Amino acid sequence: MSEQRKVTLLGTGLMGAPMARNLLAAGFPLTVWNRSAEKARPLADQGATVADTPAHAVAQADVIVTMLADGYATGALLEDPSFCDQLKPGAVWIDMSSAKPEHARAQSAQLETLGLRHLDAPVSGGTKGAEAGSLAIMVGGDEKVMREVLPILSAMGRPVHVGPSGAGQLCKLANQTIVAVTISAVAEATLLAEQGGADPAALRAALRGGFADSVILQQHGERMSNRDFVPGGLSKFQLKDLDNTLAEARGLGLELPNTQAVRDRFEYLINEMNGAELDHSALYLELRKRNGMS
């Protein structure tokens, strides 16, 4: 695929902005748009064209990357005839937002009627992964289409084809289930160590490389110890993903008890503790409150 193909990225928030910078660094001609324009403007200094509307952004784009809040936000774009009129037949739409598998399948079918190919390619790795270009990218859809846009995906992380349309979003839900349940375990281990008189930083050092080690233990355990909950992954998005996981599980006739319990704790953190805009490691604060601590 020629690097001169025009790429558009819609959504330049916490994740989208560093992803855009990596595309620019890889040499792709890039147009960006964001609902809050001030979040997109700094990318102009790095070579991006900043569009004032999503319709202007996608005009003549060969590849469209979306990094929006959810499938509803992506669907809202596709409900706008003036937007759809600007879509270029033959283009590839890569939705890297976290959404429901059913949304991915429906949007793939709709885009096919407009002559576009669709991949659902949600990511994991948070803002650090987005900045480093090391995101785990779970790709659903036609594997031949994925290979066509592999240089673009590889500029942002490590893409793996996981199945047909919707499979990328399904794997992202599985990822978010592991993340949320692991955050809850790390919070409990951190609180146990603190209250028992052990140094949580020393605990993390002792466990490094062992069976219990993980990125979540090292990164989010440090956040918990330092009470640093500046968002890398927002708690409100973690709750959204867990709700989507449980809805998908119900459709499959499955019960996921740990996921349900952690989901309810995130709901409490968000609704009762004003934690929606905190990093998802702030579940530690809910645990402290549960134990009568400030």
Side-chain angles (χ1 to χ4, degrees), residues 219-240:
Q219 290 188 7
H220 287 340
E222 183 177 9
R223 284 176 174 271
M224 294 171 191
S225 294
N226 295 339
R227 311 298 194 261
D228 174 14
F229 303 114
V230 174
L234 288 168
S235 289
K236 65 181 180 182
F237 291 155
Q238 181 75 74
L239 178 60
K240 175 206 70 175

Side-chain angles (χ1 to χ4, degrees), residues 29 32 41 44 54 63 79 93 99 108 155 166 168 201 260 272-273 277 285:
V32 297
R41 289 193 192 104
V63 178
E79 291 173 1
W93 184 305
S108 178
Q260 182 68 60
E272 304 299 326
M273 299 178 65
E277 302 296 326
L285 299 177

Side-chain angles (χ1 to χ4, degrees), residues 103-263:
H103 286 166
R105 292 188 286 265
Q107 287 157 15
S108 178
Q110 181 180 356
L111 287 165
E112 186 176 3
T113 68
L114 298 172
L116 282 78
R117 284 89 48 79
H118 177 271
L119 298 171
D120 53 293
V123 303
S124 178
T127 53
K128 289 187 176 181
E131 290 161 2
S134 61
L135 291 167
I137 306 174
M138 298 151 270
V139 186
D142 188 332
E143 189 171 5
K144 292 180 180 178
V145 176
M146 188 196 86
R147 288 200 294 269
E148 182 182 334
V149 297
L150 192 59
I152 290 170
L153 291 168
S154 297
M156 297 179 282
R158 181 178 55 84
V160 175
H161 186 258
V162 294
S165 181
Q169 297 295 354
L170 183 63
C171 287
K172 177 59 186 287
L173 295 181
N175 175 86
Q176 292 303 87
T177 297
I178 294 170
V179 167
V181 172
T182 305
I183 284 174
S184 73
V186 169
E188 292 182 12
T190 298
L191 187 63
L192 179 68
E194 287 177 344
Q195 295 305 115
D199 179 355
L203 169 67
R204 294 191 299 274
L207 297 183
R208 190 182 298 275
F211 202 54
D213 195 15
S214 68
V215 173
I216 291 174
L217 172 64
Q218 298 301 333
Q219 290 188 7
H220 287 340
E222 183 177 9
R223 284 176 174 271
M224 294 171 191
S225 294
N226 295 339
R227 311 298 194 261
D228 174 14
F229 303 114
V230 174
L234 288 168
S235 289
K236 65 181 180 182
F237 291 155
Q238 181 75 74
L239 178 60
K240 175 206 70 175
D241 290 337
L242 293 175
D243 282 339
N244 288 345
T245 296
L246 291 167
E248 192 73 13
R250 285 192 294 271
L252 296 170
L254 300 176
E255 181 180 355
L256 305 179
N258 285 344
T259 305
Q260 182 68 60
V262 174
R263 180 262 170 215

